[in-house]
Amino acid sequence: MPTDLHYLSLDDVARRLKARALSSVEVTRAILDRIAKVDRELKSYAVVTPERALADATERDTETALGKRRGPLHGVPVAVKDLCDTADVATAAGMAIHRHHVPDKDATVVARLKAAGAVILGKLQMTEGAFGAHHPSIPAPINPWNAAYWTGASSSGSGAATAAGLCYASLGSDTGGSIRFPSTMNGLSGLKPTWGRVSRAGVFPLAGSLDHIGPMARSALDCAWMLGVIAGRDPDDPTAVAFPVPDYAAVIDAGVRDKRIGVPAGLADLDADSERTLGEAAAALRKSGAEIIDVALPQMFDQGARDWIGLCSVETALAHQMTYPSRAGEYGPVLAGLIETGRCMTAVDYARLQQRRAALAGALDGLLASLDLLLMPVMGTAAWSLDKLAATGRDPEAVAARLRYTAPFDLSGHPTLTLPGGMTGDGMPTGFQIVGRAFDEGGILAAGHAFQKASDWHLRRPLP
């Protein structure tokens, strides 16, 4: 068994399990041992289910011995964000009031992981209700690269655990940037699929028309395997589209030769690390055969993050109507503040935001019609320290500034892939986004894979 077993890619582990060079029990026990050793400090898991995981791993090994494979993740240990219902396991969505909620049915994405043979290790910690802050009674996960830095929100546990070798991949959710922030802050590859590509049935909502469920992993290829398993229509979620699910992993070597990739010109708010990461990513993709084109973002792009706050607040108020305001005193101040904003919004104001949202989505469709892909920063500040985050506060303008490059693609529903693309002087990973046309996850994954074949940022690890 390799000494760095916990840091292998999901693809590598799956291939070794298929070849019977590893057993699922061996690899599951190794990851559980690492969780017991490392997660005391990182606090990335809300719930670990070791007995269940080892029982499932034993069953996967028995099936392997009989020549049966459930799917591409057969025997691979993964974990899910704690807003995905998991049968007979507490699912709290980061909320103190739901700490004893035990569903009797798996969320569709969890059921599909199990059907593909994955071994579920447990539930990953997250911010309260999937908004921007952890509940005051719940310790926030620690960034494994540097405890003085943000872990990202809201999929904080997914980011920390996947980066630190405590699972081979995880599920996150992204309503305003919550796959992309923890992916870039933890040096991961994270995919926000097109809205409607992945079912949300059994997933606790922050804002239903903005919520996206997707994988966080160590490479674009690993994300391709995960997406291929969880995507597709679902009778339990009528918004999950009936389009066929491509074999993303099979076509990931398509590359970027002759692809037209747009890079926005004149992004004045980028710090040196974020600007360098974006520039070097563009250079690497050009070297791989892409045509890099300067483009202008739609005029209403910068308004998107501000509009997102209003839209999200109304839908969050709706999602919490059974417990807020009746149990308002049990909420943390940040989530409660968002709900109050939504409860105060008028129907006219909300309609105005929806009109601007439609205009933004149309403008982005128009831009992408002239391109194959769009290259974007994740944040203007490449890596946020906790001190800097606290100093900027949580007023709407500060929040909008952090969401500037992420929230518009939740409003429009376009797919984006976040990849590690550099390091700061403090040794923190930095990232960038590849944005695609609706339902072109295959194109952005192929571009991400081409970048990762030409770079090694995704191979760097934070801890021994």
Side-chain angles (χ1 to χ4, degrees):
M1 188 183 301
T3 57
D4 61 347
L5 175 62
H6 53 276
Y7 276 146
L8 295 178
S9 69
L10 179 150
D11 175 68
D12 197 357
V13 169
R15 285 188 287 104
R16 294 184 191 210
L17 288 167
K18 184 176 182 180
R20 303 181 70 174
L22 280 175
S23 73
S24 183
V25 168
E26 283 178 309
V27 70
T28 300
R29 183 172 287 120
I31 300 302
L32 288 170
D33 288 347
R34 183 163 173 82
I35 292 170
K37 175 184 176 183
V38 173
D39 208 45
R40 296 172 187 171
E41 180 179 352
L42 295 184
K43 301 177 176 61
S44 64
Y45 275 84
V47 179
V48 183
T49 54
E51 295 84 3
R52 178 180 294 212
L54 286 169
D56 289 345
T58 300
E59 187 175 0
R60 296 299 86 74
D61 286 339
T62 299
E63 291 166 345
T64 298
L66 296 172
K68 176 183 177 182
R69 277 177 56 81
R70 295 190 179 206
L73 305 183
H74 190 91
V76 180
V78 301
V80 300
K81 186 173 179 176
D82 196 33
L83 47 56
C84 301
D85 281 352
T86 307
D88 302 320
V89 179
T91 301
M95 300 185 64
I97 63 173
H98 294 317
R99 63 168 62 92
H100 301 303
H101 171 60
V102 180
D104 58 9
K105 180 182 177 181
D106 287 330
T108 296
V109 287
V110 174
R112 287 177 176 174
L113 288 174
K114 291 179 178 179
V119 173
I120 309 296
L121 295 164
K123 315 297 293 297
L124 295 163
Q125 195 54 269
M126 55 179 285
T127 58
E128 185 182 20
F131 190 47
H134 296 85
H135 189 274
S137 69
I138 297 175
I142 303 298
N143 191 308
W145 291 87
N146 187 329
Y149 278 81
W150 192 37
T151 311
S154 64
S155 307
S156 52
S158 299
T162 310
L166 309 186
C167 58
Y168 289 102
S170 58
L171 292 184
S173 66
D174 193 308
T175 307
S178 296
I179 287 173
R180 289 163 289 170
F181 293 146
S183 291
T184 193
M185 288 300 304
N186 290 278
L188 298 174
S189 303
L191 177 67
K192 182 192 81 66
T194 310
W195 193 85
R197 177 76 283 185
V198 175
S199 170
R200 294 175 291 110
V203 177
F204 190 91
L206 173 58
S209 77
L210 298 167
D211 293 344
H212 302 65
I213 313 302
M216 297 168 63
R218 296 177 190 153
S219 70
L221 177 57
D222 289 356
C223 287
W225 284 119
M226 290 283 285
L227 181 63
V229 166
I230 64 174
R233 70 175 298 274
D234 177 18
D236 291 336
D237 178 4
T239 69
V241 298
F243 299 164
V245 178
D247 187 342
Y248 298 109
V251 299
I252 202 166
D253 281 313
V256 293
R257 183 160 300 281
D258 299 326
K259 296 289 186 182
R260 292 167 54 84
I261 300 180
V263 180
L267 300 180
D269 66 327
L270 302 189
D271 68 9
D273 290 315
S274 192
E275 186 173 9
R276 182 179 64 252
T277 298
L278 190 66
E280 290 180 356
L285 290 167
R286 179 185 288 113
K287 191 173 181 179
S288 296
E291 179 184 1
I292 303 299
I293 302 164
D294 286 342
V295 298
L297 293 174
Q299 187 174 2
M300 67 280 290
F301 187 89
D302 283 349
Q303 182 63 33
R306 298 181 181 88
D307 289 348
W308 178 93
I309 295 170
L311 290 163
C312 183
S313 70
V314 174
E315 295 195 24
T316 303
L318 176 63
H320 290 264
Q321 63 180 334
M322 298 302 293
T323 53
Y324 194 100
S326 61
R327 301 177 67 178
E330 299 172 73
Y331 277 68
V334 175
L335 181 58
L338 179 71
I339 294 172
E340 287 291 349
T341 298
R343 287 168 59 83
C344 294
M345 186 158 304
T346 70
V348 171
D349 288 339
Y350 183 70
R352 184 179 297 112
L353 294 176
Q354 288 287 21
Q355 289 180 344
R356 289 209 293 258
R357 177 186 187 177
L360 173 62
L364 287 170
D365 280 337
L367 174 61
L368 285 161
S370 66
L371 304 166
D372 293 294
L373 302 164
L374 179 65
L375 211 60
M376 294 289 295
V378 179
M379 302 181 288
T381 298
W384 284 82
S385 71
L386 294 176
D387 286 345
K388 183 173 181 179
L389 198 65
T392 60
R394 296 204 60 85
D395 67 88
E397 285 302 311
V399 173
R402 282 193 290 276
L403 296 171
R404 180 184 180 191
Y405 297 115
T406 55
F409 300 112
D410 291 291
L411 292 170
S412 69
H414 289 96
T416 91
L417 176 66
T418 295
L419 302 172
M423 301 287 286
T424 70
D426 290 342
M428 289 299 297
T430 64
F432 66 97
Q433 298 182 83
I434 303 174
V435 183
R437 299 170 186 160
F439 299 101
D440 187 25
E441 285 82 6
I444 61 176
L445 287 164
H449 187 57
F451 175 78
Q452 290 182 333
K453 288 197 295 186
S455 66
D456 68 353
W457 299 113
H458 65 294
L459 301 177
R460 305 194 182 197
R461 306 288 182 250
L463 299 173

